Amino acid sequence: MGENDNSEIIEHHVDEEMEKKGTRSRTASSSFPGSVTPSDREGHSGTQSSHRLLAYSDALISIIATVMILPVAHTKLQDNDEELRQSVQLLLSTKIAVYLMTFLIVTVAWAAHIRLFQVIVRIDDCLALLNLACMMLITFLPYTFSLMATFPENILGILLFCGCVMVMGVIQSVIVVYAFSRPFLLNEQIQISENLTVYKHHILKVIMRVPLMCFLASIFSFILFQISYVLLAIVIFLPYISRSLKWCRSKAIGQVEETPDSILFYTFLPEEPLSKDRVEAFSDGVYAIVATLLILDICEDNVPDPTVVQKQFGGSLIAALQDYGPEYLAYFGSFATVGLLWFVHHSLFLHVTKATRFMSMLNTFSLAFVGGLPLAYQLTHEFPRNSRNELEAIQISCVIIFFAGIFQLAIWVVALYNEQETLHPYVRYGGREHVFMLAKLSLYPCVALGTFFLTCILSKFSASIFHLMEITVPFAFLVLRLLVRGGLAMLRLTFCPDRPDQGSVVEEEDDETRVPFNALVT
Amino acid sequence: MGENDNSEIIEHHVDEEMEKKGTRSRTASSSFPGSVTPSDREGHSGTQSSHRLLAYSDALISIIATVMILPVAHTKLQDNDEELRQSVQLLLSTKIAVYLMTFLIVTVAWAAHIRLFQVIVRIDDCLALLNLACMMLITFLPYTFSLMATFPENILGILLFCGCVMVMGVIQSVIVVYAFSRPFLLNEQIQISENLTVYKHHILKVIMRVPLMCFLASIFSFILFQISYVLLAIVIFLPYISRSLKWCRSKAIGQVEETPDSILFYTFLPEEPLSKDRVEAFSDGVYAIVATLLILDICEDNVPDPTVVQKQFGGSLIAALQDYGPEYLAYFGSFATVGLLWFVHHSLFLHVTKATRFMSMLNTFSLAFVGGLPLAYQLTHEFPRNSRNELEAIQISCVIIFFAGIFQLAIWVVALYNEQETLHPYVRYGGREHVFMLAKLSLYPCVALGTFFLTCILSKFSASIFHLMEITVPFAFLVLRLLVRGGLAMLRLTFCPDRPDQGSVVEEEDDETRVPFNALVT
């Protein structure tokens, strides 16, 4: 552990910043090639860095993606009437489906937004206002989904949804046309390229595909509404379908030649880079809104009415609040879990140097599970002790935590496959933080899995086991570095201490402390 | 309008970035002075830039600050029963008071958080986890406020609040002690200073003042709860009080000598710099959550029940949805207004180079009004047409928009007083964007004021006037640059075209196009 370990990781990040800055200053100095005459820019001198606009868009989109979990939360499950219970469960599953669909669609829209603003790197007032209009339509999408889910046979929901998407497509096309008419707003790589119009047409073609499909869907909805749903499902998987079609064609006919420029943007390849900053900002937004979901409910519903306190509890506020006790516990439990999952995410992305589309997809899956967490926690405290429902709620919580954690781990595993490009040397195979990162990422899945099986065996003590888990995990994170060291030392003592070969991933982890990582770092 | 106007504003921003970067790289290279031995850092090699932690904290705090508006929203006003109506209005005013108090307290906590992390510029896992614990307590504060407001004579609310603040004080002290024991985590200015312990004690003293006052308040609550409230009120204004006391003392006794180091941080002077990035991030969070507040409600409440649609509307979904029509209008209206206020804020802070505490305070006031906006909009559509209540609701909306806008204008005016330090040359007196910025900032206050007086005079057409305002303002922003040019040309034609002297601000604005701004810019 050399003297300059710290400075290395910091300098690495500084290097990154310097790189970014370098790109920006290059962009700035070369953003006015001779071809752009002063008259082009007349009246549009207020070009601005797009950073804050994108941060605001990320905040809006993350809130909207997560918000449809609230109707799920406010559906109360009753135990008494079997028939009523079944209808409520049907309603609940509808709402969960709406939540997941919204999350998926909104993140697809978000990815499209990232792609667009990777091409347009500078904005002016006009683009900012057009973007706001686009945001307004995105935030309205969840409502159209609710309508579709509640009235699946009524075409109004489909029409509203398609209308929103079509207007958004038009606005985005206007943004593209506007930006290409002012090339100093564009990404430098496109700016210096010869075939600006090829780019423009390629991007417009990609953007207009979705509204076109929606237009078809809205027409078909008048004839046979089932076809509309199929068309809408195709919209989501369109890039994948077109990719696989292209692949099939290239296998059948031979390599199809593409223009080299168009490969850079809007490729929809799994390794297409998506802005790491924006993936982080979006995740932060989701984690923040999810962490506070329960306190919203508590603040609104759990302040007892003064008259009720006077009548039912003889004026004793403490007695009245004890009724809500479990909900506070649920709040602190869910806040801690979401906070720690954020912490793991933060630690991971600190060492990620480039985010790809595939990583961002896994991240979305992880976030979708995180969104359901507070409600699962709330359910654990809603049922009487030792009831079957309580056990179920606790096990659902464990499953959700497990999947939220395992998808985070999957991000790292995917990143490891292309570690030279996507990861900081410290967390690559054999890097000095490799084992520690693995421990951080696998702590929650392991604990959740353990708790799940423990509650299966000791179903009587399920609540106690769950609460014990809630309390110990934060402390486990605090002393994780010590635990990892201890574990490694133990392993080294148990097995042969100087085994040289590294066959599998598991074996490699044990060996990391002996790998000459300095060679890797420098 | 020279050829290199665009490149100048961009280069200005690049310069800023370069400065930032410069600071960072300096910090990085000098963050391990010889005094820090390797053993100090053993086990803590994972130091990280604090940027994302702060962004996440900003997101959490902004959500919590805004969330107490929801209970206000869900209080329904009825017209029929006069007595009931009065009790509801009392409840409403209590809830509004809770909202404003929460907003104030949470922003005070947020400012303290900024100050702390201006001293500690780098974090490690331990600090990240401690910060999460701190966040958890901050998010619980609104609930204690609700308790205090609902049961003002019960000491439980006071005790809970004081308990939270005291635990937060302890955690923050632990953070400070921890960070000072690892000086490479600290701000470079403190790191290189000789008297590290002086700093540490000064900061600890400032941090512990608030928990100490809360401790006193919780003790007094057992004796006489009114004193507790007075003490808690003092807590908020403590920095102002201690400042004015110091000022009085210096006037009475003469200049009190302070250690020059301690002036840099935790000064509580109006011109104390607060991180501009964080002011922006916090504002973004508030604007984003406020913009989406109404869609949360709409998604949850405005999807009609299928059985109701079948029975009441004969299965016609469109007829059922027409009932909710005004609420969609309210949603789009409030989203547009909040979005445009964000746009103005964004334009302003693009040209602000340094945010001071006073500017941040004005920003907080503006945001507090923005928070109330969606509800005011919702109210405008809740009452029957042409009723007294509708007029009141519309006028309240105008007042809220006016104040939200006027405080944004005030930020700029305050910045102008120290323009060399706080503003980009373009928007200083005589800068080329000066008039345009003034137009942007004063558009909403002017329109709101105009609408208010128009509705006073033509109270019959209040709703139409209001809707007309909603529709025209976004377009006014789109063509604002043209409008400003036209206005200036008109003014130049009307008055003497070559008046040389510039007496007041108003006159100066008219003259800006003739000021040789190139001399100012370069």
Side-chain angles (χ1 to χ4, degrees):
Chain A
M1 311 283 157
E3 200 173 334
N4 46 359
D5 290 351
N6 281 315
S7 53
E8 270 161 13
I9 192 166
I10 290 164
E11 269 165 20
H12 160 70
H13 288 293
V14 170
D15 280 351
E16 260 183 285
E17 275 153 25
M18 225 180 292
E19 260 171 51
K20 277 189 211 161
K21 209 233 45 163
T23 326
R24 279 190 217 138
S25 69
R26 250 184 296 131
T27 319
S29 56
S30 67
S31 55
F32 304 104
S35 62
V36 183
T37 57
S39 65
D40 277 354
R41 304 197 312 273
E42 185 76 348
H44 295 277
S45 53
T47 54
Q48 309 144 6
S49 149
S50 62
H51 171 257
R52 208 183 146 193
L53 179 86
L54 302 183
Y56 184 62
S57 307
D58 288 339
L60 280 176
I61 297 177
S62 59
I63 292 172
I64 286 306
T66 327
V67 115
M68 290 310 288
I69 200 71
L70 276 180
V72 185
H74 293 167
T75 312
K76 293 287 170 204
L77 285 172
Q78 269 105 21
D79 260 359
N80 21 10
D81 192 345
E82 190 58 29
E83 200 181 322
L84 187 73
R85 207 190 154 201
Q86 277 195 346
S87 82
V88 168
Q89 278 195 339
L90 186 71
L91 186 65
L92 198 66
S93 54
T94 313
K95 284 182 177 177
I96 290 173
V98 171
Y99 163 68
L100 289 176
M101 262 165 73
T102 310
F103 207 97
L104 202 65
I105 276 279
V106 169
T107 47
V108 167
W110 170 72
H113 193 265
I114 294 188
R115 280 197 194 90
L116 185 60
F117 282 92
Q118 277 178 341
V119 171
I120 302 166
V121 293
R122 217 174 302 290
I123 56 159
D124 61 9
D125 287 1
C126 193
L127 283 185
L129 290 170
L130 284 172
N131 182 61
L132 280 179
C134 211
M135 284 298 126
M136 191 196 274
L137 289 166
I138 288 184
T139 56
F140 197 65
L141 288 184
Y143 181 68
T144 64
F145 263 111
S146 300
L147 279 184
M148 274 198 248
T150 326
F151 302 93
E153 305 196 0
N154 197 311
I155 61 164
L156 191 67
I158 303 172
L159 288 182
L160 270 179
F161 176 78
C162 293
C164 277
V165 173
M166 282 189 283
V167 176
M168 262 162 60
V170 170
I171 294 176
Q172 288 197 337
S173 309
V174 171
I175 290 178
V176 170
V177 171
Y178 181 88
F180 272 86
S181 72
R182 285 155 185 77
F184 50 90
L185 297 172
L186 297 176
N187 189 316
E188 194 214 7
Q189 281 169 293
I190 294 181
Q191 238 178 80
I192 57 171
S193 85
E194 302 278 303
N195 37 10
L196 221 62
T197 39
V198 175
Y199 262 117
K200 188 166 115 181
H201 290 164
H202 173 66
I203 293 171
L204 279 177
K205 217 172 65 188
V206 174
I207 286 178
M208 289 311 287
R209 265 197 313 216
V210 175
L212 214 69
M213 293 288 283
C214 283
F215 182 65
L216 282 180
S218 60
I219 286 174
F220 273 110
S221 68
F222 288 103
I223 306 163
L224 196 68
F225 68 88
Q226 285 91 340
I227 297 180
S228 306
Y229 284 115
V230 174
L231 279 174
L232 291 185
I234 290 177
V235 166
I236 297 176
F237 301 106
L238 200 61
Y240 306 86
I241 295 167
S242 73
R243 257 292 125 195
S244 44
L245 280 181
K246 247 182 210 161
W247 186 83
C248 291
R249 204 173 54 186
S250 75
K251 287 284 151 190
I253 312 170
Q255 195 58 51
V256 181
E257 200 60 45
E258 284 189 85
T259 52
D261 273 339
S262 65
I263 293 174
L264 275 167
F265 300 96
Y266 284 91
T267 59
F268 298 100
L269 287 169
E271 61 269 22
E272 181 188 4
L274 287 182
S275 159
K276 187 194 153 202
D277 284 347
R278 295 201 61 188
V279 174
E280 285 183 357
F282 179 73
S283 310
D284 280 352
V286 171
Y287 280 111
I289 192 94
V290 167
T292 43
L293 268 182
L294 282 190
I295 203 75
L296 306 196
D297 271 2
I298 287 181
C299 282
E300 200 167 338
D301 303 332
N302 290 17
V303 179
D305 198 282
T307 52
V308 173
V309 172
Q310 201 59 48
K311 278 179 197 159
Q312 286 184 12
F313 300 97
S316 164
L317 184 59
I318 295 177
L321 288 186
Q322 270 169 358
D323 267 13
Y324 301 127
E327 298 188 31
Y328 306 135
L329 221 69
Y331 167 64
F332 286 116
S334 85
F335 190 100
T337 311
V338 174
L340 290 172
L341 282 171
W342 174 83
F343 171 70
V344 172
H345 190 272
H346 163 81
S347 304
L348 175 61
F349 272 77
L350 201 69
H351 292 95
V352 167
T353 49
K354 186 185 112 182
T356 65
R357 200 175 64 89
F358 191 47
M359 283 159 73
S360 153
M361 205 175 73
L362 291 171
N363 188 39
T364 304
F365 290 148
S366 171
L367 292 177
F369 279 103
V370 168
L373 198 62
L375 306 170
Y377 263 75
Q378 199 175 18
L379 286 180
T380 60
H381 301 272
E382 213 159 66
F383 300 108
R385 284 305 283 272
N386 289 328
S387 71
R388 211 187 134 61
N389 279 327
E390 195 200 41
L391 181 64
E392 267 175 18
I394 286 175
Q395 289 183 341
I396 290 173
S397 300
C398 290
V399 170
I400 290 180
I401 297 175
F402 175 75
F403 277 108
I406 211 79
F407 277 116
Q408 287 186 335
L409 186 60
I411 297 173
W412 188 50
V413 172
V414 167
L416 279 174
Y417 273 103
N418 199 3
E419 57 179 17
Q420 296 296 329
E421 271 188 40
T422 52
L423 283 181
H424 184 256
Y426 274 15
V427 294
R428 292 184 195 160
Y429 287 123
R432 55 175 298 222
E433 297 269 320
H434 184 84
V435 184
F436 185 56
M437 184 55 74
L438 180 76
K440 259 188 190 169
L441 285 166
S442 52
L443 183 60
Y444 255 119
C446 290
V447 168
L449 211 64
T451 314
F452 182 82
F453 285 120
L454 264 181
T455 51
C456 284
I457 303 165
L458 305 164
S459 56
K460 262 197 172 177
F461 307 101
S462 59
S464 323
I465 293 169
F466 193 69
H467 293 320
L468 195 72
M469 188 269 273
E470 279 180 13
I471 295 163
T472 47
V473 168
F475 291 102
F477 270 106
L478 263 179
V479 294
L480 193 60
R481 206 174 273 272
L482 295 178
L483 286 180
V484 170
R485 287 222 180 143
L488 283 178
M490 288 268 288
L491 279 172
R492 224 173 298 153
L493 278 175
T494 320
F495 297 103
C496 173
D498 41 41
R499 187 187 42 194
D501 63 318
Q502 298 169 4
S504 70
V505 179
V506 184
E507 279 171 1
E508 201 168 356
E509 289 148 25
D510 310 338
D511 291 335
E512 72 88 45
T513 43
R514 271 160 290 132
V515 172
F517 54 84
N518 274 325
L520 278 165
V521 171
T522 49
Chain B
M1 310 286 159
E3 198 176 334
N4 47 357
D5 289 353
N6 280 316
S7 53
E8 268 162 15
I9 191 167
I10 291 165
E11 268 166 21
H12 160 70
H13 288 292
V14 171
D15 281 352
E16 260 184 285
E17 273 154 25
M18 226 183 289
E19 259 172 53
K20 276 188 210 163
K21 210 234 45 164
T23 328
R24 278 191 217 139
S25 69
R26 252 184 293 128
T27 319
S29 55
S30 67
S31 57
F32 305 104
S35 63
V36 183
T37 58
S39 66
D40 278 353
R41 303 195 314 270
E42 184 76 351
H44 294 278
S45 52
T47 53
Q48 309 145 2
S49 149
S50 61
H51 170 257
R52 206 184 147 194
L53 179 86
L54 302 183
Y56 183 61
S57 307
D58 288 339
L60 280 175
I61 298 176
S62 58
I63 292 171
I64 286 305
T66 327
V67 114
M68 289 310 288
I69 201 72
L70 276 180
V72 186
H74 294 166
T75 313
K76 293 284 169 207
L77 284 170
Q78 269 102 23
D79 261 358
N80 22 11
D81 191 345
E82 189 59 31
E83 201 181 318
L84 188 72
R85 205 189 156 203
Q86 277 195 346
S87 82
V88 169
Q89 278 196 338
L90 186 72
L91 186 65
L92 198 66
S93 55
T94 314
K95 284 182 176 176
I96 290 173
V98 171
Y99 163 67
L100 289 176
M101 262 165 72
T102 309
F103 206 97
L104 202 66
I105 277 278
V106 169
T107 46
V108 166
W110 170 71
H113 194 264
I114 294 188
R115 279 194 195 93
L116 186 61
F117 282 91
Q118 277 179 340
V119 172
I120 303 166
V121 292
R122 214 173 303 287
I123 57 158
D124 59 10
D125 286 1
C126 193
L127 283 184
L129 290 170
L130 285 173
N131 182 60
L132 279 180
C134 212
M135 283 301 126
M136 190 196 275
L137 290 165
I138 288 183
T139 55
F140 197 66
L141 288 184
Y143 182 68
T144 64
F145 263 112
S146 300
L147 279 184
M148 274 198 247
T150 325
F151 302 93
E153 305 196 359
N154 197 311
I155 61 165
L156 191 67
I158 303 172
L159 288 181
L160 269 179
F161 176 78
C162 292
C164 277
V165 174
M166 282 190 284
V167 176
M168 262 162 59
V170 170
I171 294 176
Q172 288 199 335
S173 309
V174 171
I175 289 177
V176 169
V177 171
Y178 181 87
F180 272 87
S181 73
R182 284 155 185 79
F184 50 90
L185 298 172
L186 297 177
N187 189 313
E188 192 211 10
Q189 280 170 295
I190 294 182
Q191 237 178 80
I192 57 170
S193 84
E194 302 278 301
N195 36 13
L196 222 62
T197 40
V198 175
Y199 261 118
K200 187 166 117 180
H201 290 165
H202 173 67
I203 293 170
L204 279 178
K205 219 171 67 189
V206 174
I207 286 177
M208 289 310 287
R209 267 198 311 215
V210 174
L212 214 70
M213 293 288 284
C214 283
F215 182 65
L216 282 179
S218 60
I219 286 173
F220 273 110
S221 69
F222 287 104
I223 306 162
L224 198 67
F225 68 87
Q226 285 88 343
I227 298 180
S228 305
Y229 285 115
V230 174
L231 280 174
L232 291 184
I234 290 177
V235 166
I236 297 176
F237 302 105
L238 201 61
Y240 307 85
I241 296 168
S242 73
R243 259 289 123 194
S244 46
L245 279 181
K246 246 181 211 161
W247 185 82
C248 292
R249 205 173 54 185
S250 74
K251 287 284 153 191
I253 311 169
Q255 195 57 49
V256 182
E257 200 59 47
E258 283 191 85
T259 52
D261 272 339
S262 64
I263 292 174
L264 277 167
F265 299 97
Y266 284 94
T267 59
F268 297 100
L269 287 168
E271 62 269 23
E272 182 188 3
L274 286 182
S275 159
K276 187 195 153 204
D277 283 346
R278 295 200 60 188
V279 173
E280 285 182 357
F282 180 72
S283 310
D284 281 351
V286 171
Y287 281 110
I289 192 95
V290 168
T292 43
L293 269 182
L294 283 189
I295 201 74
L296 305 196
D297 272 2
I298 286 180
C299 281
E300 202 167 339
D301 303 332
N302 290 17
V303 179
D305 198 283
T307 52
V308 173
V309 172
Q310 201 58 48
K311 278 179 197 159
Q312 285 184 14
F313 300 95
S316 164
L317 184 58
I318 296 177
L321 287 186
Q322 269 169 359
D323 267 15
Y324 301 126
E327 298 187 31
Y328 306 134
L329 222 69
Y331 168 64
F332 287 115
S334 86
F335 191 100
T337 312
V338 173
L340 290 173
L341 282 170
W342 173 84
F343 171 71
V344 172
H345 190 272
H346 164 80
S347 304
L348 175 61
F349 271 78
L350 201 69
H351 292 95
V352 166
T353 50
K354 188 185 108 179
T356 64
R357 201 174 63 88
F358 191 46
M359 281 157 73
S360 153
M361 205 174 73
L362 290 171
N363 188 39
T364 304
F365 290 146
S366 171
L367 292 177
F369 279 102
V370 169
L373 198 62
L375 306 171
Y377 263 75
Q378 198 174 20
L379 285 179
T380 59
H381 301 272
E382 212 157 65
F383 300 107
R385 285 304 285 272
N386 289 326
S387 70
R388 210 185 135 61
N389 279 326
E390 195 200 41
L391 182 64
E392 268 176 17
I394 286 176
Q395 289 183 341
I396 290 173
S397 300
C398 290
V399 169
I400 289 181
I401 296 175
F402 176 74
F403 277 108
I406 211 78
F407 276 116
Q408 287 186 336
L409 186 61
I411 297 173
W412 187 51
V413 172
V414 167
L416 280 174
Y417 272 103
N418 199 5
E419 57 178 18
Q420 295 297 328
E421 271 188 40
T422 51
L423 283 181
H424 184 256
Y426 275 14
V427 294
R428 292 184 196 160
Y429 286 122
R432 56 174 296 222
E433 297 270 318
H434 185 85
V435 185
F436 185 56
M437 183 56 74
L438 180 76
K440 258 188 192 170
L441 284 166
S442 51
L443 181 61
Y444 255 120
C446 290
V447 167
L449 210 65
T451 314
F452 182 83
F453 285 119
L454 265 180
T455 52
C456 284
I457 303 164
L458 307 164
S459 55
K460 263 197 171 175
F461 306 101
S462 59
S464 323
I465 294 169
F466 193 69
H467 293 320
L468 195 73
M469 189 269 275
E470 278 180 14
I471 294 163
T472 48
V473 167
F475 291 102
F477 269 107
L478 263 178
V479 294
L480 193 60
R481 206 175 275 270
L482 295 178
L483 286 180
V484 170
R485 288 221 179 142
L488 283 177
M490 289 268 288
L491 280 171
R492 224 174 299 153
L493 279 174
T494 321
F495 297 104
C496 172
D498 40 42
R499 186 188 43 195
D501 63 318
Q502 299 169 2
S504 69
V505 180
V506 184
E507 279 172 1
E508 199 166 358
E509 289 150 22
D510 309 341
D511 291 335
E512 75 88 44
T513 41
R514 271 160 289 129
V515 172
F517 54 84
N518 274 326
L520 277 165
V521 172
T522 48

